[in-house]
């Protein structure tokens, strides 16, 4: 969805957020339905001559700035900002319905109705495109524009890159090439359950998917911590479709020990890109998990994505 910027009120507006950590700016836009879109940046004014990256986080009802002990803390956005370096501008859109500071997990059982209504692939990607379109009209966009997403956010980043041609680079982190329905099946197939139990679980998954298809707009019925409305969106569309559409340079990064999105799904995406004659980079990290960290890095307390700085900078800059 593109927002019509025919009046000054529709443009991005910096907002006062006293609790926001130093170095970050809060912004808001009024959507077409009069709701408020909130996003954050590590700049106070966009410089169209300086590279820009857009971060898209993974699934779950949690804020970009989680609150602990009554203070907003730096989250993954700050880690990504540091990894990219001070010569790259960064922004990230807060998910619709998320309250600043909320500290949740990968699920969304405690999320408000607004979150469940708009936690779809189209809505998440549409909000990012709205922000980028606003800057394009207001100040102009840099020629180097990176869409970077992790897990569910990788799916979102791929759709943003497909829908917004100004995206020049796409970093697809821990995302699957196939539908998330396929990812669930591969997780079952790789489990230590007996062949008979695996078939039972796969049959139950098919039954669950059929029920989701029968109630695709439901925000009341839940599966794996999320509303059917969310699953009907992310299970219906395969990221490979958007990876094939975009003209952006593509970097795929995946851990071989990822138990959330199996690397076989990323392999499938790479195979399809290769079959289509698309140019891309595919970095496979031995022993790394869904956070792209090895057990040794986790033990040392290395933040997710912190070790990818040189890779991302080489790819983007």
């Amino acid at each position: 969805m593109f927002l019509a910027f025919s009046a000054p009120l529709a443009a991005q507006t910096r907002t006062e957020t006293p609790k926001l950590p130093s170095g970050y700016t809060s912004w808001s836009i009024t959507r077409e339905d009069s709701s408020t879109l909130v996003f954050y940046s590590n700049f106070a004014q966009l410089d169209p001559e300086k590279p820009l990256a857009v971060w898209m986080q993974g699934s779950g009802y949690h804020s970009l700035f989680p609150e602990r002990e009554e203070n907003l803390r730096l989250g993954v956005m700050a880690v990504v900002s540091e990894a990219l370096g001070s010569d790259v501008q960064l922004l990230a859109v807060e998910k619709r319905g998320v309250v600043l500071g909320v500290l949740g997990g990968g699920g969304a059982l405690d999320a408000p109705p607004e979150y469940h209504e708009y936690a779809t692939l189209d809505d998440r990607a549409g909000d990012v495109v709205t922000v980028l379109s606003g800057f394009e009209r207001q100040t102009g966009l840099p020629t180097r524009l990176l869409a970077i997403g992790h897990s569910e956010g990788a799916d979102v980043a791929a759709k943003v890159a497909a829908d917004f041609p100004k995206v020049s680079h796409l970093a697809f982190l821990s995302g699957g090439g196939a539908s998330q329905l396929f990812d669930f099946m591969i997780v079952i197939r790789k489990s230590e359950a007996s062949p008979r139990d695996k078939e039972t679980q796969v049959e139950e998954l098919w039954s669950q998917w059929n029920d989701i298809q029968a109630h695709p707009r439901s925000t009341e019925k839940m599966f794996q911590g999320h509303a059917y409305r969310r699953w009907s969106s992310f299970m219906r569309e395969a990221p490979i479709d958007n990876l094939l559409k975009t003209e952006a340079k593509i970097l795929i990064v995946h851990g071989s020990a990822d138990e959330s999105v199996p690397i076989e799904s990323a392999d499938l995406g790479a195979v399809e890109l290769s079959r289509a004659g698309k140019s891309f980079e595919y970095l496979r990290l031995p022993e790394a998990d869904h956070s792209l960290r090895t057990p040794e890095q986790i033990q040392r307390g290395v933040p997710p994505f912190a070790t990818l700085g040189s890779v991302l900078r080489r790819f983007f800059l």
Side-chain angles (χ1 to χ4, degrees):
M1 178 187 73
F2 285 84
L3 191 63
F5 288 83
S6 56
L9 292 177
Q12 289 92 332
T13 303
R14 286 192 294 272
T15 56
E16 292 295 328
T17 308
K19 297 174 68 176
L20 203 63
S22 176
Y24 288 88
T25 302
S26 175
W27 305 73
S28 66
I29 299 176
T30 300
R31 297 186 184 91
E32 289 181 331
D33 64 1
S34 299
S35 63
T36 300
L37 186 164
V38 175
F39 67 100
Y40 305 99
S41 69
N42 64 0
F43 55 84
Q45 183 173 346
L46 181 68
D47 182 352
E49 301 300 321
K50 188 176 179 180
L52 172 66
V54 186
W55 165 249
M56 282 146 273
Q57 70 272 40
S59 65
Y61 177 62
H62 50 82
S63 175
L64 288 162
F65 293 93
E67 185 171 20
R68 296 184 180 89
E69 300 176 357
E70 299 185 356
N71 291 312
L72 294 180
R73 302 299 180 91
L74 294 174
V76 176
M77 180 182 177
V79 178
V80 174
S81 177
E82 184 175 349
L84 289 171
S86 60
D87 50 344
V88 176
Q89 301 170 106
L90 180 70
L91 67 82
V93 176
E94 191 80 283
K95 296 175 186 176
R96 184 162 177 173
V98 168
V99 177
L100 177 64
V102 68
L103 178 61
L109 292 176
D110 298 327
E114 184 182 18
Y115 176 91
H116 293 303
E117 181 69 25
Y118 296 98
T120 68
L121 178 60
D122 286 344
D123 285 300
R124 284 203 62 190
D127 274 355
V128 176
V129 170
T130 294
V131 171
L132 294 176
S133 298
F135 276 122
E136 183 178 24
R137 295 172 187 247
Q138 196 171 347
T139 63
L141 287 171
T143 55
R144 287 190 175 271
L145 175 56
L146 168 67
I148 175 172
H150 172 253
S151 191
E152 175 187 299
D155 294 28
V156 178
K159 185 164 182 59
V160 168
D163 291 349
F164 195 75
K166 291 296 180 70
V167 173
S168 62
H169 294 70
L170 168 63
F172 191 79
L173 312 180
S174 300
S179 156
Q180 292 183 10
L181 176 62
F182 177 82
D183 294 348
F184 275 118
M185 290 183 180
I186 294 299
V187 169
I188 293 172
R189 297 294 186 195
K190 293 176 68 176
S191 72
E192 296 182 358
S194 69
R196 185 178 296 274
D197 286 343
K198 288 180 182 179
E199 289 307 317
T200 298
Q201 292 175 39
V202 168
E203 187 61 34
E204 290 173 348
L205 179 61
W206 274 115
S207 177
Q208 184 73 66
W209 171 233
N210 289 334
D211 196 46
I212 291 171
Q213 288 183 298
H215 307 89
R217 299 183 62 85
S218 175
T219 58
E220 303 294 330
K221 295 172 76 70
M222 296 284 169
F223 171 63
Q224 294 287 324
H226 297 276
Y228 274 22
R229 182 166 171 79
R230 184 262 182 206
W231 288 116
S232 68
S233 168
F234 280 93
M235 282 184 169
R236 184 187 68 248
E237 192 164 346
I240 184 58
D241 296 334
N242 288 315
L243 291 172
L244 288 169
K245 289 177 185 175
T246 181
E247 295 300 321
K249 294 181 179 179
I250 299 172
L251 169 66
I252 300 172
V253 184
H254 215 99
S256 67
D258 191 332
E259 296 182 354
S260 297
V261 179
I263 195 169
E264 288 85 350
S265 186
D267 288 339
L268 184 149
V271 168
E272 291 305 303
L273 286 172
S274 181
R275 289 181 64 240
K278 296 273 285 188
S279 177
F280 65 96
E281 294 184 47
Y282 185 14
L283 176 61
R284 297 172 298 281
L285 304 177
E287 299 184 352
D289 67 0
H290 193 56
S291 70
L292 301 175
R293 296 177 296 176
T294 65
E296 185 271 335
Q297 290 170 336
I298 294 174
Q299 187 175 18
R300 289 195 289 113
V302 176
F305 324 120
T307 60
L308 297 181
S310 60
V311 173
L312 291 171
R313 286 183 58 82
R314 176 193 55 76
F315 167 70
F316 183 41
L317 302 179

